[in-house]
Amino acid sequence: MLNKVYTTLIYCAIIFCPALSVAKEAIISNPKISLTLNYGGKASITSLIINGQKVISSADGIFTSVKIGSITYSSLHLLGIPVLVKAGNVIKLTGISYGDENLTIKENWIFTITGKSIKWTLERTCSKSVNVDEAALPVFNFDSINSWEGAYQGYGGLAWFYLFNEKLCTYGVHTSSSDFWNSKSGTGLNVTVTAPGKNVAMKYSRTNEDKLAYTVTVSDHEMIPKSDSGTNRRRFIRGRTDVWAPFTMAAGYSSQTITLSYFDFNEKYGRGKFKGIDGAKVGAVLNTIARIGVIDSLHFGGNSWHTPYGPICLHEQYIAQLGLAINDPAYLKGDESCLDYYRDHAINPDGRVYPRWAYTNEDAMPGKFNEYGFYEAQWGILMDSNPDLVTNIAELYDMTGNTTWVKSHQQSCEKVLDWILKRDGNNNGLVEMMNDNHSEKRSSDWIDIIWASYENAFVNAKLYHALVKWAIIERQLNNVVKANYYAAFAAKLKTSFNKPTTDGGFWDEEKGCYDYWRDKDQTMHGRNMVTPVNFMAIAYGICDNATRRKTILDNIETQMKKENLFFWPLCMSGYNPDEGLGYQFPFPHYENGDLFLSWGSVAVKAYAEYNPSIAVKYIKNVLDQYSKDGLAFQRYGRIKQDGLGDDILSGNSLSIVGLYQAIYGINPLYNRFYLDPHITPELVGTVLNYNFRNKKLSISLDTANYSVSDKKFKVTADKSFGFNTTKNQLSYFNGNSPDVSFTATSVQHLTVNIKSWDTNKAEWQQHTSGLVSYVLHQLKPNAIYRLTINGNTVKNISSNLKGELAINNLQASGAGLINVSSLK
């Protein structure tokens, strides 16, 4: 019956227009997409309408072409008249031929219409092998650079047209899928290219007429960037459109299919109902600035593709963490491929991780780079790349739960960690940098023109975080020896880190903060409340002294109020003049006191448990700043609080990531979705949509009443808990325990409201219309428990040796209060 409806629809949608000349038209449409095919002396699509919004309306709207030298051959100038044939829901335009006596390209365009998409198959025959300078197979000329706000790439990156701020800006990537979107209209267009055995690349250009030219290229081998000579890694260029180097188009037949489909932007990317905070701005930040560090399908970082030399910092621990709030499965899958690439190409044989990659070698230490573009930075051996690679792998694994993938990184992560752990030459649990003293004027971490040396708290805090996370993974992968080794090293590091500076640690009693580093001569440096050091110490659990935490956070907030800063600076006061590169003095300038938003997630985490209202205040400030300038800067000046630097950082979104993770409490973990909110009263009533392992979850946050649900199961509790489901089974994890507390099996909808849970007593309210079977875990072994429903005793049940207790086919229709209590 459905097929008959579609046949009628398609028949009505194809309109043959009487020709005044050789030009003819055919309208091809489904309920959401309409395109006008012009054929005669040319073959092109002159109109494209998506959900009523016209995005293409020109004679050269969509067509194919190849450029060889100075000559362009295209379907706009044909050698003959093509023929249109319709059969059911298929429209075929044959006889498309262009070229000259030296080269002939013949194409057939086949359109297959369904209710959800229009599939356009291009069959192409090339008369001979030819070296092509540029190929549009095809090109879409959208009416305006503003037709779409951006295009999400198949690997989770973004072509953000806000950054195409002059004519002939061009960005090229390796992907076969693009989601064009406009948040104002809610209209979205997905373009997916299928070309078996071929490589697909795409590029986006702002034309001289301020249109958006979107070009698909299909080739036998991966397209190589044309610039720069000798490196060929530059994806973004200005003043021209030839982002790809020439390539060979083989003789003979090839085929590709382009699928056009509509999506509702709000339905696909909508984030839910926000209270007390501007949800539209939250979505905008995570939809744009958070993604721009993804330069291409195998190159994920924090610096944008728009940056002149296009760097990626592998010494940033938060690239995977960005995916937690971006919440796009494509980003997570893409980052897996990226980290595979880093494993294979960025790790030296001895385990040292190159800290950077760039379009060019201009930032590299002389001779310290490889053919893939990874290098040691000119400023020094930046040691944090080793722990940060491990942290990114561990945190991505938490989000995906992909054990096979993380196991493929086990050996390399061990090598990477072991390389840096060998740097603990004095066996105190703190690894040493390659530079011994600040007078060497070399750096050792992300703050790359401050001369941190020897025992560096910044690097050691990152290392602690990586060790804690990786020890857990080693245990899951059944390497108990390595798990214990890493956990023991982390514990020793933590102990030494927390010692007073007079006893070899970093705690500065006089300054009320953790100092940045100790030179080999035992002098302390960076005593100026370096905020990332202190925020990481708290957020990563190194500082678990409540008095110290209060001192640090209160002192920072006092200074923030005094200066009326909208965001936390890298340091609260200035370095000594000999502690950094000279042009940063006097204070405040650049790393000596400016505002770098990339440390927002650890700052929010540090304040979340202590005083979340402070964190929320600065989150709101960042959202307000986004509405003014898109956060499209490297940093903000301390004095004027104005955007500075053309090195645009995706890390500018990290306070919003902190909002998701530390305030809303969203923490996807390897075996569960863990909810641990720290909301303020103004956020009560927030309901979030969240993608978790191919499921749409709904997270509701009320005062001491938090819930997670999918389409079948729901759990509500007044404190943190873990949640996981399969087809007919719900797993509940009490608090932050990684071990399941109960599993419930039901074929009907089931809601569980947790009242209390420990080894002596478990009580919950059940809402369902059918039978439920429970298995309770982590109870006392070989103990007798009494089961009551709505206060009425049902029976006594014994737990087994593992502390498990089964309740089969429980009948408690409606709202049943179930209690399982120990009798001894």
Side-chain angles (χ1 to χ4, degrees), residues 351-392:
R352 169 61 182 152
V353 178
Y354 277 123
R356 292 184 179 175
W357 176 97
Y359 292 154
T360 67
N361 297 329
E362 64 191 84
D363 182 47
M365 194 177 289
K368 296 294 185 179
F369 53 84
N370 67 18
E371 62 183 300
Y372 304 103
F374 298 99
Y375 64 90
E376 295 284 5
Q378 60 180 311
W379 307 109
I381 303 300
L382 310 181
M383 301 280 283
D384 43 350
S385 57
N386 274 59
D388 288 354
L389 179 64
V390 175
T391 294
N392 277 299

Side-chain angles (χ1 to χ4, degrees), residues 525-690:
H525 298 272
R527 302 180 68 202
N528 49 326
M529 186 68 86
V530 179
T531 53
V533 168
N534 287 273
F535 285 147
M536 284 193 291
I538 296 170
Y540 295 161
I542 299 171
C543 175
D544 48 17
N545 181 308
T547 301
R548 288 183 181 180
R549 180 180 68 169
K550 175 177 172 56
T551 298
I552 292 167
L553 298 179
D554 284 354
N555 287 347
I556 290 174
E557 179 61 7
T558 296
Q559 185 69 20
M560 294 291 289
K561 288 180 177 178
K562 181 179 178 180
E563 296 188 51
N564 194 29
L565 299 177
F566 89 92
F567 193 81
W568 300 281
L570 272 187
C571 53
M572 299 311 297
S573 58
Y575 290 95
N576 292 329
D578 63 345
E579 291 179 334
L581 192 62
Y583 84 86
Q584 302 174 102
F585 299 86
F587 172 85
H589 184 61
Y590 198 57
E591 292 174 355
N592 185 25
D594 276 351
L595 285 57
F596 283 79
L597 276 60
S598 291
W599 296 97
S601 62
V602 290
V604 170
K605 174 71 172 174
Y607 276 104
E609 291 186 14
Y610 176 66
N611 189 342
S613 63
I614 293 175
V616 171
K617 176 175 68 173
Y618 293 107
I619 290 166
K620 288 183 174 182
N621 288 347
V622 171
L623 293 173
D624 288 344
Q625 194 65 39
Y626 177 86
S627 66
K628 298 173 185 176
D629 60 22
L631 302 178
F633 297 98
Q634 180 200 49
R635 68 193 192 281
Y636 289 82
R638 177 81 163 251
I639 298 173
K640 297 181 180 178
Q641 301 191 58
D642 52 335
L644 300 171
D646 57 8
D647 194 359
I648 302 169
L649 304 183
S650 63
N652 291 344
S653 68
L654 277 163
S655 57
I656 314 307
V657 176
L659 169 69
Y660 262 67
Q661 187 169 32
I663 302 299
Y664 294 146
I666 291 174
N667 289 271
L669 297 175
Y670 69 97
N671 65 342
R672 65 201 185 281
F673 177 89
Y674 176 54
L675 185 65
D676 182 26
H678 297 88
I679 60 171
T680 59
E682 63 189 319
L683 305 182
V684 168
T686 295
V687 180
L688 302 173
N689 303 325
Y690 198 80

Side-chain angles (χ1 to χ4, degrees), residues 494-513:
K494 178 177 178 177
T495 298
S496 293
F497 194 107
N498 279 306
K499 289 180 179 179
T501 55
T502 54
D503 193 24
F506 293 117
W507 178 251
D508 189 325
E509 194 66 45
E510 178 189 354
K511 297 293 186 179
C513 67

Side-chain angles (χ1 to χ4, degrees), residues 278-292:
D278 193 325
K281 291 179 182 177
V282 169
V285 169
L286 298 175
N287 290 338
T288 57
I289 198 75
R291 295 182 186 245
I292 62 167

